[in-house]
Structure formats: structure tokens, C-alpha cells
């Protein structure tokens, strides 16, 4: 039997498991496959950001340069012991003491920065590790993944991951990559595995690789040379199962649905995806093998998915559709409620986060009705759209059913910009939804971005005024500025949106998913970035210094909300207590 190992590599926040591994593990186990799952991201954070690991690095690598920027012995003696204590605090009830929490996070941030020194000029922070290479270029990635001097993942894999793997070597390694912050770490791992154990089959999947697979229509991805043997395009259940069966039967991969692979002549093939497995036939996610007690939180949050793809799907800036089969599908809410009850009992958890691109108000209603019938005190969060179906009665019902936290994509409050985005929302309805969720006791978070092509400064100001007028019912926000994604509908029709020029290098790069551009009118990318920075500073004037402006991790907000409640979240202010960094 083929032994499969599914891996989630760094770099991601170590606050909860990522759903792809437990979802695929459950499916493959149901099909009789031998599969293990490995949250290598958690292992990286937990082992590297520790007294022992950092001490070894600081005392053995780049020591002369390290001594030039800090008093090395004093840091080792006085600071490093605080690092393990800070992680212990996050896993304890002290997590909910805001000042202790912020202090622990500051210690850990400093520890990430210390990690930069032995690997200079790489820049490490809690959000990402940036190597001195352009990660969208094949040539640069080839150098980055072999650069022992600046790549901290090489050191981690050499000292921890490879020796661990050798104890129980798999036949197939599936590496799941959700975002660009994992690209170098994932490819470095693949390259080391390929060099050390050439017989292993290495496949990549996840949202980011679905986009790279989509680009294969134009030209083959050079990653086949150095990093992997195949890639999964879109949903992983059938491709992975087909790949396992093909490896067992030693057949070629021509009949594996959704697989991108290279034959013996070097020809790259992209197989048709086949029909996805109906969501009602999938088992609930299986978290066996993941160390739920080691995430940097006091109790686990389990990720769930009630639907795949998006029922709206029209937003011109959005490329999420690439990761899914082309049809919106649901898991019956009653079945989802059963999953939640089962998982709550099996793992002793009370908190769930739905990662659906957008979970509909109707789904939330039906789920709540099923959960209320179970009489269990489960808390959950969702992402959704600002639509009128979040009426007072629905909001009341879903609050009773355990929905604590809804994240909405407001994006803009200017009617022309909303229409151009094809967002399908209405600022007046948005206000009603905020009011209804607020009245029902549900905490909300809104995503906003500035600089959609042709958006003028005056139009962006409309969004600022909207937030100002509604800040008592808009509880928390995250803002950014527009990126032109290669696979979003706007890219194909960019002339219609006033885009006059796209950066040629970004177009040519094999590993780029967004491109720099210029427009005839509206805010430029630089102006949008500056507008965003000014907006973040303005939020401090408007809201003071609530938790979400100190730490806007969804996981942090959800845990605090479940523990302290909505009123605390709205009223607690760090002003005068700590020097607060405004998060974006
Ligand atoms: S932005 Fe959200 S609502 Fe719009 S298409 Fe994408 S997933 Fe759907």
C-alpha cells in the first residue's frame, strides 16, 4: 500500500490547523488509504522560535555580525528564556489578560526579528520570512531554495524535518500551499526531499498551486525540474486518490483527474478535473495526528467548510474560483451540525471557524436551527456578504445558534466603485446588516480596500466617511489596497477598467499571481498605498486602540470574543497602557 504524507509547510500563523490536511486525510482514510498529516508550519514556529533553537543559531551563525548589532551574551542570558514563557502564556488562560497577551506577542515578535540575524539579509517577522530573492522568478527561486546562508527553512529541515521523516519514510508527499508566504518553504522542502530520496513522489496542491496550474495552459511550470513530480489543480480529493491508485498500480497518470504531470518524454499534461465529490458524501475532517494542544492559543478552534466556491462569484477583482470545481456546492446544514457535534465530543472543542468564501445567511439560519436542537454551547465564525437576508430575525436566530463573529467584504462604500467591482452590494443595505448583527449581539469585521482601478480620491473618501458615520455598528476593520490578480476577471478585461499598462516582468514570471499596472485615471498604486496608511492612522482617532488595532488576527479576535463577549470587545481600549502598533 502506498504510504502518503500530507504536509502543511511554514509560513502561516500557528493558531489553528489549516483545513486542507484534515479534510483530505478524512477522505483518503475513508477510501482505505494509509495517510498521515503533518503540520510542519506549527513545528517550525514552535521549534525555531524557542530558547534552544535561537541560542544555537545566534551562537553559531553569522556571530560577528550578530555581535555588531546586539549584546549577544546578554540576549542569550536575559531575553531567550522569555520566548518559551511567552508561548506558554498564549496556551494558558492568561491569554485573555490583554496586557499580558500583548507583552507575550511583543516578545515573540522580537524573537522572529532575532531569527533574521543568523540568516541576514533575510527579514523575519510574525507575518512572513522574506529572503533576498524575487520569489516570482524561477531562477531566483532556484537560488533561494539552495541558499544555506539566508534560508532558515533549509536549516530547520536539515536539523528537524528530514531526520523525523526518515523514521517512517512515505512513498508520496503531498504539500499543501495556500498562499505565497509558504512558497519558498514548500519548495525548499520539496527540493531537499527530491535530492535525498529520489524515489519519493512529490505533489503540490492548494489554492496557490491551482493558480500556477491554471497558468500551464500558456507554458509549462519549470518547477518540474527541481521541485515536484506533479501538481493538483483545484479540489484535491479525486486527484490525490487517483494518484495513490496509479502509484500502487504503477500505471501512468493519464487517467488521474485534475492532475498536472510530466511524462517520460518531458511533456507536461493537464488532465481534465472530473466531477468533484459531492460535499454530502465527504466525511467530516479528521484531526487525528495533529497536536491540537500545541497551537499558540488556550483552546483549539477547528476549521470547517459548509460550501465550496462562491454563490455570488461575480466580483471582478476576485480569483478564489480557481481553487474550486466550477459549481457552487453545499454540505447540508443538518449534516454540518452533526459534524460539529461529533468533532466537539471527539476533540473536546467548542469553537469553530468556517472558511467558506461566503457562507449565506440562509445556510447560517438552517445550521443554527439544527444546532439549537442539539442544545450544545458551540461558538462559530463565518465570512459572508452584506445582503438584506441578514434581517433582525435571522441575526437573532444565528446568534442563538452560536454565531459570534461575521466577517464581511465591504470593499468600498461608493456606488460607482461597487458597481464597477460587480460586488452586488448596496451601502444602505450594508448599514441595515451592520445594525441587525450589532443588535443581535454578533461582532462584525469588515474588509475594505482602496485604489480599485479608476477609483478617485473623492470616491475613496466616501468609504472613509461611511466608516466614520457607522463606526458604532462597524465593530472592527481590516484595510488594504488593490492588487491586480492574474486570474481575476478584471485582468482579462483590463482595458475596460482603464488599465493602460501592466508590468512585463510580472507577466512573464512563472510564479507571479499579481501584476503591477498603470491606469489612466484614479489613484495610482502608490497613492492607494499612501491612502491606506493614512486611513489606518485615522482609525486610531475614530476607535481609540481596541484589540483589533493591536492584533487583527481572526483567531485572536474570535477567542477574545468568545471569552470576554462583544461589549468588552467594543469597549476595551489600550490607550495609555501600551505603545500600540497599528495593524493593517
Ligand atoms: S469576493 Fe467574495 S463574494 Fe465576491 S466573488 Fe469572491 S468570494 Fe464571492
Amino acid at each position: 500500500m502506498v504510504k502518503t504524507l500530507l504536509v502543511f509547510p511554514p509560513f502561516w500563523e500557528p493558531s489553528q490547523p489549516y483545513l486542507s490536511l484534515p479534510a483530505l486525510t478524512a477522505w483518503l482514510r475513508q477510501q482505505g488509504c494509509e495517510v498521515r498529516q503533518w503540520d510542519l508550519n506549527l513545528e517550525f514556529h514552535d521549534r525555531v522560535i524557542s530558547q534552544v533553537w535561537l541560542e544555537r543559531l545566534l551562537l553559531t551563525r553569522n556571530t560577528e555580525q550578530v555581535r555588531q548589532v546586539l549584546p549577544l551574551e546578554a540576549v542569550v542570558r536575559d531575553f531567550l528564556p522569555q520566548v518559551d514563557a511567552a508561548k506558554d502564556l498564549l496556551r494558558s488562560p492568561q491569554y485573555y489578560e490583554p496586557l499580558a497577551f500583548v507583552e507575550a506577542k511583543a516578545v515573540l515578535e522580537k524573537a522572529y526579528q532575532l531569527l533574521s540575524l543568523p540568516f541576514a539579509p533575510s527579514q523575519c517577522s510574525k507575518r512572513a520570512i522574506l529572503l533576498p530573492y524575487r520569489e516570482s522568478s524561477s531562477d531566483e527561486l532556484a537560488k533561494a531554495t539552495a541558499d544555506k546562508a539566508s534560508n532558515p527553512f533549509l536549516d530547520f529541515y536539515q536539523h528537524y524535518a528530514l531526520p523525523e521523516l526518515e523514521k517512517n519514510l512515505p512513498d508520496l508527499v503531498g504539500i499543501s500551499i495556500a498562499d505565497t508566504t509558504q512558497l519558498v518553504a514548500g519548495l525548499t522542502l520539496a527540493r531537499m526531499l527530491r535530492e535525498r530520496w529520489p524515489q519519493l513522489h512529490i505533489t503540490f496542491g492548494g489554492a496557490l498551486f491551482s493558480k500556477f496550474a491554471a497558468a500551464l495552459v500558456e507554458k509549462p511550470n519549470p518547477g518540474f525540474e527541481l521541485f515536484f513530480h506533479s501538481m493538483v489543480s483545484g479540489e484535491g480529493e479525486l486527484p490525490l486518490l487517483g494518484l495513490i491508485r496509479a502509484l500502487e498500480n504503477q500505471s501512468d497518470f493519464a487517467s488521474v483527474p485534475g492532475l498536472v504531470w510530466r511524462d517520460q518524454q518531458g511533456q507536461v499534461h493537464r488532465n481534465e478535473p472530473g466531477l468533484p465529490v459531492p460535499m454530502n458524501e465527504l466525511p467530516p475532517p479528521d484531526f487525528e495526528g495533529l497536536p491540537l494542544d500545541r497551537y499558540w492559543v488556550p483552546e483549539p478552534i477547528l476549521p470547517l467548510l459548509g460550501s465550496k466556491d462562491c454563490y455570488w462569484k461575480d466580483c471582478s477583482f476576485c480569483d478564489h474560483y480557481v481553487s474550486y470545481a466550477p459549481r457552487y456546492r453545499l454540505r447540508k446544514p443538518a449534516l454540518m451540525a452533526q459534524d460539529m457535534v461529533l468533532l466537539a465530543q471527539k476533540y473536546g472543542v467548542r469553537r469553530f471557524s468556517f472558511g467558506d468564501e461566503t457562507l449565506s445567511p440562509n445556510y447560517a439560519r438552517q445550521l443554527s436551527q439544527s444546532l439549537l436542537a442539539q442544545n450544545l454551547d458551540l461558538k462559530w465564525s463565518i465570512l459572508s456578504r452584506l445582503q438584506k437576508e441578514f434581517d433582525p430575525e435571522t441575526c437573532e436566530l444565528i446568534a442563538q445558534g452560536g454565531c459570534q463573529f461575521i466577517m464581511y467584504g465591504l470593499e468600498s462604500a461608493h456606488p460607482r466603485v461597487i458597481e464597477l467591482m460587480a460586488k452586488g452590494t448596496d451601502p444602505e443595505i450594508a448599514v441595515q446588516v451592520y445594525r441587525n448583527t450589532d443588535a443581535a449581539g454578533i461582532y462584525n469585521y469588515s474588509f475594505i480596500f482602496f485604489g480599485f482601478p479608476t477609483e478617485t480620491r473623492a470616491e475613496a473618501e466616501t468609504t472613509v466617511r461611511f466608516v466614520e458615520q457607522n463606526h458604532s455598528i462597524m465593530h472592527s476593520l481590516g484595510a488594504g489596497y488593490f492588487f491586480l490578480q492574474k486570474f481575476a476577471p478584471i485582468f482579462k478585461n483590463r482595458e475596460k477598467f482603464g488599465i493602460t499598462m501592466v508590468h512585463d516582468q510580472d507577466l512573464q514570471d512563472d510564479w507571479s499571481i499579481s501584476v503591477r499596472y498603470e491606469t489612466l485615471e484614479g489613484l495610482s498604486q502608490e497613492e492607494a498605498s499612501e491612502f491606506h496608511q493614512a486611513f489606518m492612522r485615522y482609525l486610531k482617532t475614530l476607535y481609540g486602540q481596541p484589540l483589533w488595532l493591536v492584533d487583527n488576527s481572526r483567531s485572536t479576535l474570535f477567542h477574545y470574543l468568545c471569552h470576554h463577549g462583544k461589549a468588552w470587545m467594543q469597549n476595551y481600549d489600550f490607550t495609555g497602557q501600551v505603545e500600540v502598533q497599528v495593524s493593517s
Side-chain angles (χ1 to χ4, degrees):
M1 188 183 279
V2 164
K3 290 196 284 186
T4 301
L5 177 69
L6 301 179
V7 182
F8 188 69
F11 201 89
W12 202 263
E13 186 186 8
S15 58
Q16 66 176 66
Y18 191 76
L19 183 61
S20 61
L21 261 55
L24 289 168
T25 297
W27 158 254
L28 292 174
R29 284 180 179 158
Q30 187 193 54
Q31 302 305 309
C33 303
E34 185 180 335
V35 56
R36 286 179 289 140
Q37 51 187 334
W38 199 13
D39 191 341
L40 202 51
N41 173 59
L42 174 64
E43 298 297 346
F44 178 84
H45 289 277
D46 218 19
R47 288 171 193 279
V48 174
I49 302 302
S50 69
Q51 179 176 6
V52 171
W53 200 286
L54 288 171
E55 184 172 329
R56 173 179 69 79
L57 291 174
L58 290 169
L59 293 178
T60 58
R61 294 178 61 102
N62 250 352
T63 314
E64 285 318 304
Q65 288 92 322
V66 171
R67 277 183 206 283
Q68 284 170 19
V69 290
L70 51 79
L72 184 52
E73 280 69 26
V75 167
V76 167
R77 186 187 62 235
D78 301 331
F79 175 72
L80 290 188
Q82 296 175 36
V83 175
D84 294 336
K87 289 188 298 183
D88 289 344
L89 184 143
L90 295 184
R91 294 189 184 110
S92 77
Q94 260 194 299
Y95 177 97
Y96 298 112
E97 295 173 20
L99 295 182
F101 171 81
V102 169
E103 224 168 84
K105 285 278 187 141
V107 167
L108 294 172
E109 181 58 33
K110 195 169 165 194
Y112 285 108
Q113 286 165 12
L114 278 181
L115 180 62
S116 306
L117 298 175
F119 297 99
S122 291
Q123 295 290 320
C124 308
S125 74
K126 68 178 179 187
R127 291 186 188 276
I129 293 184
L130 300 175
L131 273 68
Y133 295 98
R134 196 159 50 83
E135 294 178 6
S136 53
S137 144
S138 285
D139 291 345
E140 297 270 302
L141 267 180
K143 290 180 200 155
T145 52
D147 184 353
K148 289 187 177 150
S150 73
N151 184 337
F153 304 116
L154 269 160
D155 176 78
F156 171 65
Y157 297 150
Q158 185 196 337
H159 285 92
Y160 169 72
L162 266 56
E164 277 300 305
L165 208 58
E166 194 159 28
K167 293 176 191 166
N168 186 2
L169 204 59
D171 306 298
L172 166 63
V173 178
I175 301 176
S176 174
I177 304 279
D179 208 348
T180 49
T181 54
Q182 296 174 284
L183 186 59
V184 171
L187 294 179
T188 302
L189 175 67
R191 184 170 183 172
M192 292 176 85
L193 295 181
R194 246 178 104 148
E195 285 169 6
R196 177 85 168 265
W197 294 294
Q199 77 279 15
L200 279 184
H201 184 102
I202 297 164
T203 193
F204 273 79
L208 189 64
F209 269 74
S210 295
K211 292 171 193 170
F212 294 143
L216 283 171
V217 180
E218 285 149 33
K219 59 176 178 170
N221 189 296
F224 282 99
E225 298 295 334
L226 270 184
F227 305 118
F228 46 78
H229 303 94
S230 62
M231 293 159 73
V232 168
S233 169
E235 296 169 29
E237 285 84 2
L238 290 180
L240 266 181
L241 181 62
L243 181 57
I244 291 169
R245 298 295 183 234
L247 290 170
E248 280 169 354
N249 300 330
Q250 298 184 336
S251 56
D252 81 7
F253 303 137
S255 59
V256 178
L259 196 73
V260 181
W261 56 288
R262 197 169 66 155
D263 65 23
Q264 306 226 332
Q265 287 70 45
Q267 175 77 30
V268 174
H269 305 266
R270 185 179 179 199
N271 296 348
E272 287 300 315
L275 287 176
V277 184
M279 284 194 78
N280 292 330
E281 292 174 19
L282 290 170
D286 184 343
F287 295 88
E288 287 302 322
L290 294 176
L292 295 181
D293 56 343
R294 281 182 48 219
Y295 291 89
W296 293 5
V297 287
E299 65 173 277
I301 297 175
L302 295 189
L304 291 170
L305 210 54
S307 59
K308 291 191 180 182
D309 207 357
C310 166
Y311 60 89
W312 176 254
K313 218 173 175 163
D314 281 350
C315 301
S316 55
F317 57 83
C318 176
D319 63 359
H320 293 167
Y321 70 94
V322 180
S323 316
Y324 301 102
R327 195 164 57 82
Y328 177 64
R329 284 148 296 135
L330 296 173
R331 186 166 179 83
K332 281 184 197 156
L335 198 52
M336 178 54 70
Q338 279 178 27
D339 293 350
M340 291 168 77
V341 172
L342 183 143
L343 294 170
Q345 287 166 349
K346 188 169 175 186
Y347 300 108
V349 298
R350 301 174 295 169
R351 296 173 186 174
F352 297 91
S353 64
F354 282 88
D356 304 47
E357 303 300 344
T358 180
L359 191 134
S360 75
N362 188 37
Y363 192 103
R365 273 184 75 99
Q366 291 184 44
L367 177 64
S368 299
Q369 282 159 344
S370 298
L371 285 171
L372 283 168
Q374 302 281 345
N375 205 18
L376 279 173
D377 183 24
L378 303 181
K379 311 284 188 211
W380 39 284
S381 68
I382 61 172
L383 294 119
S384 194
R385 293 185 73 237
L386 288 156
Q387 55 188 74
K388 65 179 186 326
E389 288 78 8
F390 280 112
D391 54 38
E393 189 226 334
T394 298
C395 290
E396 196 59 44
L397 175 65
I398 66 176
Q400 284 170 15
C403 180
Q404 300 277 299
F405 186 22
I406 306 184
M407 288 157 275
Y408 295 114
L410 173 69
E411 329 299 8
S412 163
H414 193 279
R416 186 193 75 85
V417 179
I418 293 172
E419 195 179 334
L420 196 61
M421 289 175 175
K423 186 74 200 166
T425 49
D426 174 335
E428 284 180 21
I429 289 174
V431 173
Q432 285 168 23
V433 172
Y434 287 128
R435 201 170 285 139
N436 296 341
T437 42
D438 178 61
I442 299 170
Y443 188 76
N444 64 57
Y445 184 97
S446 299
F447 299 98
I448 288 172
F449 67 84
F450 299 107
F452 189 72
T454 75
E455 183 181 46
T456 63
R457 186 170 294 275
E459 288 168 335
E461 290 286 356
T462 306
T463 304
V464 178
R465 297 287 83 79
F466 180 88
V467 173
E468 191 177 83
Q469 283 157 15
N470 296 295
H471 77 277
S472 64
I473 49 174
M474 293 180 74
H475 305 137
S476 56
L477 297 117
Y481 57 98
F482 177 72
F483 278 88
L484 180 59
Q485 307 288 344
K486 267 185 182 174
F487 301 102
I490 182 175
F491 183 78
K492 289 194 196 93
N493 304 306
R494 50 192 180 273
E495 291 79 17
K496 273 199 213 159
F497 293 84
I499 294 172
T500 50
M501 201 278 283
V502 288
H503 205 284
D504 199 41
Q505 188 176 55
D506 296 345
L507 276 184
Q508 300 308 326
D509 275 354
D510 301 298
W511 303 87
S512 80
I513 52 167
S514 64
V515 277
R516 286 163 286 173
Y517 65 93
E518 285 175 18
T519 52
L520 267 182
E521 48 189 308
L523 294 168
S524 68
Q525 282 190 294
E526 293 73 30
E527 288 166 338
S529 165
E530 284 162 17
F531 194 97
H532 159 239
Q533 292 301 329
F535 177 69
M536 294 311 295
R537 289 191 294 276
Y538 173 65
L539 286 180
K540 220 166 136 182
T541 317
L542 197 57
Y543 285 91
Q545 294 182 339
L547 178 66
W548 58 273
L549 274 174
V550 179
D551 181 341
N552 70 353
S553 146
R554 291 179 201 179
S555 159
T556 302
L557 298 184
F558 187 39
H559 277 301
Y560 260 74
L561 185 58
C562 291
H563 184 83
H564 287 293
K566 172 173 166 286
W568 186 95
M569 293 291 282
Q570 288 180 263
N571 295 325
Y572 189 84
D573 195 332
F574 282 93
T575 305
Q577 302 190 73
V578 286
E579 190 50 48
V580 170
Q581 291 251 318
V582 175
S583 37
S584 60

